[in-house]
Amino acid sequence: IAAELAGRARAVLVRSGAMREVEVVGIANGDIVRGTAFGVAVPELDLVATAPPHALLQQLQGRITKGGLCAAKLDPRKLQKSAIRMCTDQLVSIGGFKFRRSAFRGQEPKVTLMAPPTLGLSGKGIPVDFSVNCSTPLYNAALLREAHAIDSRARSLILLVRRWAKDRGVCHAAKGHLPPYAWTLLTIYFLQVGLSDEQGGSLLPPMQGFKMASGPAVRRGGEADEKRGRVRWHPPAEGSASAEMSIAALFREFVHFYADSMDWRCEAVAVRLGRRASANLHLTLHIVVHEDRSTEAGPSIEDPFEPSRNLGSSLTGLGLGRLREELVRARGLMEKGASLSSLLEPWAPPERAPVTAAAAVDLAFGGGGSCCGEAGVDCESG
């Protein structure tokens, strides 16, 4: 389905003349046809259109001039947004997609579209995040493949963690939570440092030097001596506790690690290094401001491909509180031997009248249901 939707999107963009030099890739991050209460807010499918900047500028020349802007002074981010708007117009008017919402305030702009059943790919509508020249979905997919190649349990745990974070309403960056990509990195980091030597040691090595098949490599982060204190990684011994752990056991250890062991004030999640350490010298630190105006250091989650980029910067005081709340809830449920369905029960605000699944989405993610009209209307300015 992902490849079919990507092919259709590319055909529409080329045929309409919106983007002649374009490639579109579809990246599935989970079960894209499984319905969930938060499916539209956080889609499991990314469609990423890639085109050379000079081709984008050429295609957008008329649109930019009509808007009274000078092409020479247009920064890459505004060019990216203009390209997304132009493509969205064509995908909706010609391609049969339905517009749902835009997210232009985040680190990488995107829009959420719906591939309706009338396209003939599924009996249900499939929500899709569409972006132009966006790196994050490619980074996430590359790390997922690499982790899976080293230990097949890694991919399963990453998908479980992301589903848990999604169903519990703590992975929508636009509303003050961590983005899904951050949850991938949190899981990989746990598999690198979260299991003790007594349990058999780490399941994944440092990602320093890992290179995507086509594209950037994991970069250095500015440490004075990255080799100091580093030891050669070895997979856990056959028969050790970590080598035999089930996905459920690993998830339990993941929750305990971040609920009880991780010190966000002194440590950074850095899968490049794969060891517990403070943030690299170039990482942008994030201070969380609470409603009472008190402050604290927010999570430092380094993007291994862009080490100065902190994926924890989207977290607000409310989001940090909800993160802690969900870790404590999961830990408590697992200590009681609760079922997986209880852990993944969709989040709803406490002490409120019963709400429908759609209403729960609005409460968790700030609405957006009224933005289903014209493709050029943005839910977020910028």
Side-chain angles (χ1 to χ4, degrees), residues 185-258:
L185 296 175
L186 287 174
T187 308
I188 292 175
Y189 184 69
F190 157 72
L191 292 173
Q192 292 172 324
V193 307
L195 297 172
S196 66
D197 291 338
E198 290 75 16
Q199 292 173 303
S202 64
L203 299 183
L204 293 178
M207 292 295 176
Q208 181 77 58
F210 163 62
K211 189 179 188 305
M212 293 170 61
S214 60
V218 172
R219 301 179 184 175
R220 295 186 179 275
E223 290 81 359
D225 183 1
E226 292 183 344
K227 294 184 179 180
R228 184 178 301 165
R230 186 186 299 177
V231 297
R232 184 176 180 83
W233 179 81
H234 296 282
E238 185 176 350
S240 64
S242 60
E244 301 295 329
M245 277 187 183
S246 65
I247 303 302
L250 287 170
F251 182 72
R252 181 172 59 249
E253 294 295 328
F254 169 89
V255 169
H256 278 290
F257 176 73
Y258 285 109

Side-chain angles (χ1 to χ4, degrees), residues 152-215:
S152 59
R153 292 170 294 174
R155 183 178 187 276
S156 297
L157 182 62
I158 290 169
L159 295 179
L160 175 58
V161 167
R162 286 177 57 133
R163 179 181 170 185
W164 167 75
K166 176 179 176 178
D167 287 352
R168 296 304 300 169
V170 289
C171 72
H172 192 40
K175 295 304 170 185
H177 303 290
L178 295 176
Y181 180 39
W183 287 103
T184 294
L185 296 175
L186 287 174
T187 308
I188 292 175
Y189 184 69
F190 157 72
L191 292 173
Q192 292 172 324
V193 307
L195 297 172
S196 66
D197 291 338
E198 290 75 16
Q199 292 173 303
S202 64
L203 299 183
L204 293 178
M207 292 295 176
Q208 181 77 58
F210 163 62
K211 189 179 188 305
M212 293 170 61
S214 60

Side-chain angles (χ1 to χ4, degrees), residues 11-86:
V12 169
L13 297 178
V14 172
R15 186 171 67 248
S16 67
M19 295 175 69
R20 299 188 186 280
E21 298 181 47
V22 64
E23 294 297 330
V24 181
V25 61
I27 302 172
N29 302 301
D31 187 352
I32 62 178
V33 296
R34 179 181 65 89
T36 64
F38 305 130
V40 176
V42 187
E44 297 287 3
L45 177 61
D46 283 285
L47 291 183
V48 182
T50 305
H54 73 271
L56 285 183
L57 193 59
Q58 185 177 12
Q59 291 294 128
L60 290 166
Q61 189 71 46
R63 193 183 185 108
I64 293 170
T65 305
K66 188 181 296 184
L69 299 175
C70 176
K73 298 181 179 180
L74 196 65
D75 65 70
R77 186 174 176 80
K78 289 184 177 179
L79 180 64
Q80 193 177 25
K81 291 178 183 179
S82 295
I84 293 173
R85 291 187 178 104
M86 178 181 65

